């Protein structure tokens, strides 16, 4: 699809940013008959959700999954078009001497014996997991965000989970979800995500995560201009790097929180970094499409996945693509992360790890916004600022595909409501 055409000088609505929030906003406006154009500084749509083709491999820019329980997905596209491939429910946990499997007996009844016998947590911990699952599935997703807030660490302790189980399972698992092994993230988000994992699958499109923004962009043919960088944004205009000005009745700033702040002179949101290196092997270190977790916290890899076991299209025949991800301090030095990853993997998988070949490493400095305890009490930020500029992005909701899509929808609805008021 040709996205190199210059943008029109004037449109009814102009969206700056072709990530999930900008695309979902624009697509809904087009559906309602609004003349929309989207500009994007990068060479293609997707924002932080991009997939590179390298030597026949599909490399997502950082470890990313889509939770099928996100209710915004069905509101924006036909999920079947994504051709999803699911991870197996559960995980493998490195205990310091071996890998133990914690399955999901509700999804896979054959996992009951191995899960109860796994030396990760007590039987009581596993019973508490089951009770929490039942309770959250019996509630509406939005109820997860109600009531007083506290940190996820405090929530898990109050629920009675042992310190050993929190360290071995929740810390690496939620470290992958929140990019926060310290579990300082709001317990409201913990409840929401735990419910999503219980209610649906963690999956990736067969051809890589960029399939998601590509499908969102499908209704916007001829309305997206890439390699067009904004220098300044106002409620009715965008000034480009070359000094030219685009005007619109409505402008939506749909850049990530840090870039958006630089364009408007505001304080950027606090963010969390991540690093992912991709390795190639002729043998899969684990045969099942399970997430593998560092249950002892020695790092630098917090979680690992054999992406070619989830979708065969991620790697050419006869090879396997391994994704190894680090967070926190491990994300600060990608070269050191690469070097220390093989040492850690040799402890996990033996000498075979020495034969892995590094393909590429991605460091994502602003992978997710921070959401500490109490930050969710304010609720989502208004889609329209007092000065009239519309803003979309997961930083206005919470860091996730769900948050990005919902923020785009809310911005579109605010524009449509404003249009109705003006035309009344």
């Amino acid at each position: 699809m040709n996205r190199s055409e210059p943008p029109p000088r004037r449109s009814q609505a102009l969206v700056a940013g072709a990530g999930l929030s900008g695309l979902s906003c624009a697509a809904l406006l087009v559906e309602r008959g609004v003349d929309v154009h989207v500009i994007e500084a990068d060479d293609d749509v997707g924002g932080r959700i991009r997939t590179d083709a390298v030597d026949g491999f599909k490399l997502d820019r950082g470890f990313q999954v889509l939770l099928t329980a996100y209710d915004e997905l069905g509101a924006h596209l036909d999920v079947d078009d994504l051709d999803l491939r699911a991870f197996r429910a559960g995980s493998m946990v490195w205990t310091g001497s071996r890998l133990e499997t914690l399955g999901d007996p509700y999804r896979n009844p054959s996992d009951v014996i191995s899960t109860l016998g796994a030396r990760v947590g007590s039987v009581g911990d596993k019973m508490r997991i089951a009770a929490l699952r039942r309770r959250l599935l019996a509630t509406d997703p939005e109820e997860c965000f109600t009531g007083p807030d506290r940190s996820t660490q405090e929530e898990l302790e109050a629920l009675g989970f042992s310190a050993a189980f929190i360290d071995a399972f929740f810390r690496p698992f939620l470290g992958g979800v929140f990019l926060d092994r310290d579990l300082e993230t709001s317990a409201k988000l913990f409840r929401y995500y735990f419910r999503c994992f219980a209610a649906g699958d963690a999956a990736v499109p067969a051809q890589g995560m960029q399939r998601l923004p590509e499908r969102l962009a499908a209704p916007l043919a001829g309305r997206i201009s890439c390699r067009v960088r904004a220098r300044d944004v106002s409620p009715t205009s965008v000034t480009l790097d070359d000094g030219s000005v685009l005007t619109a009745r409505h402008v939506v700033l749909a850049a990530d929180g840090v870039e958006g702040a630089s364009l408007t002179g505001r304080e950027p949101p606090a963010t969390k970094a991540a690093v992912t290196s991709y390795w190639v092997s002729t043998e899969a270190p684990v045969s099942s499409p399970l997430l593998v977790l560092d249950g002892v916290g020695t790092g630098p890899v917090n979680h690992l996945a054999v992406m070619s076991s989830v979708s065969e299209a991620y790697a050419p025949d006869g090879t396997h693509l391994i994704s190894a991800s680090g967070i926190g301090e491990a994300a600060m030095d990608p070269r050191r992360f690469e070097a220390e990853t093989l040492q850690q993997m040799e402890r996990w998988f033996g000498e075979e790890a020495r034969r892995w070949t590094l393909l590429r490493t991605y460091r994502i400095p602003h992978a997710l916004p921070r959401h500490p305890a109490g930050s969710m009490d304010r609720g989502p930020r208004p889609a329209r600022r007092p000065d009239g500029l519309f803003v979309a992005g997961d930083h206005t909701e919470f860091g996730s595909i769900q948050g990005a899509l919902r923020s785009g929808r809310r911005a579109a609805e605010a524009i449509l409501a404003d249009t109705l008021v003006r035309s009344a």
Side-chain angles (χ1 to χ4, degrees), residues 9-330:
R9 293 298 178 184
R10 179 162 181 82
S11 52
Q12 194 174 358
L14 179 62
V15 179
L20 299 189
S21 59
L23 293 172
S24 59
C25 174
L28 289 174
L29 290 175
V30 166
E31 185 180 304
R32 295 292 294 272
V34 178
D35 174 32
V36 180
H37 202 83
V38 181
I39 59 171
E40 167 59 44
D42 213 337
D43 61 356
D44 205 349
V45 301
R48 280 169 286 161
I49 296 186
R50 295 286 302 275
T51 303
D52 294 321
V54 179
D55 299 335
F57 295 89
K58 302 287 193 304
L59 308 186
D60 296 326
R61 295 187 184 178
F63 179 74
Q64 303 168 11
V65 298
L66 185 157
L67 301 185
T68 59
Y70 287 155
D71 57 19
E72 288 289 340
L73 286 172
H76 294 274
L77 47 76
D78 183 348
V79 177
D80 289 340
D81 286 345
L82 297 175
D83 191 17
L84 294 177
R85 300 289 188 270
F87 284 77
R88 183 177 176 87
S91 59
M92 298 182 76
V93 181
W94 174 253
T95 63
S97 59
R98 57 182 289 176
L99 288 166
E100 299 274 3
T101 300
L102 287 176
D104 184 343
Y106 289 93
R107 305 281 189 86
N108 305 296
S110 61
D111 289 344
V112 170
I113 295 176
S114 63
T115 298
L116 288 175
R119 290 177 291 183
V120 180
S122 65
V123 172
D125 286 316
K126 293 159 190 174
M127 296 301 290
R128 291 182 188 94
I129 283 272
L132 180 62
R133 184 184 191 275
R134 289 194 299 270
R135 177 170 65 83
L136 290 177
L137 283 176
T139 66
D140 184 271
E142 291 305 309
E143 290 183 40
C144 297
F145 296 99
T146 62
D149 199 9
R150 54 188 170 190
S151 72
T152 296
Q153 174 81 32
E154 292 168 327
E155 179 90 346
L156 294 172
E157 291 171 352
L159 290 170
F161 289 105
S162 69
F165 191 59
I166 292 173
D167 288 344
F169 173 69
F170 280 116
R171 213 170 288 286
F173 178 70
L174 295 175
V177 176
F178 298 150
L179 308 184
D180 167 27
R181 281 188 70 107
D182 293 332
L183 304 181
E184 296 172 345
T185 299
S186 164
K188 294 182 178 183
L189 279 181
F190 162 69
R191 293 192 292 270
Y192 175 77
Y193 277 115
F194 193 95
R195 189 189 186 284
C196 285
F197 280 106
D201 292 319
V204 294
Q207 296 295 326
M209 285 295 292
Q210 194 165 350
R211 179 70 172 174
L212 175 56
E214 289 285 356
R215 296 309 301 158
L216 288 172
L220 301 172
R223 296 179 179 272
I224 301 173
S225 297
C226 292
R227 296 188 176 90
V228 176
R229 182 174 294 278
R231 187 174 73 194
D232 185 68
V233 176
S234 82
T236 56
S237 68
V238 175
T239 303
L240 305 181
D241 261 1
D242 63 6
S244 60
V245 178
L246 309 179
T247 61
R249 186 175 184 181
H250 308 286
V251 171
V252 181
L253 177 58
D256 69 61
V258 174
E259 176 66 18
S262 71
L263 288 171
T264 58
R266 298 199 167 199
E267 186 73 20
T271 60
K272 294 172 283 190
V275 62
T276 296
S277 61
Y278 286 99
W279 302 81
V280 178
S281 174
T282 56
E283 295 186 20
V286 292
S287 58
S288 183
L290 280 167
L291 194 65
V292 186
L293 306 174
D294 177 16
V296 296
T298 56
V301 175
N302 179 74
H303 53 283
L304 174 144
V306 182
M307 298 306 300
S308 50
S309 294
V310 183
S311 170
E312 292 181 355
Y314 268 70
D317 290 344
T319 61
H320 294 278
L321 180 67
I322 303 162
S323 163
S325 299
I327 60 177
E329 188 67 28

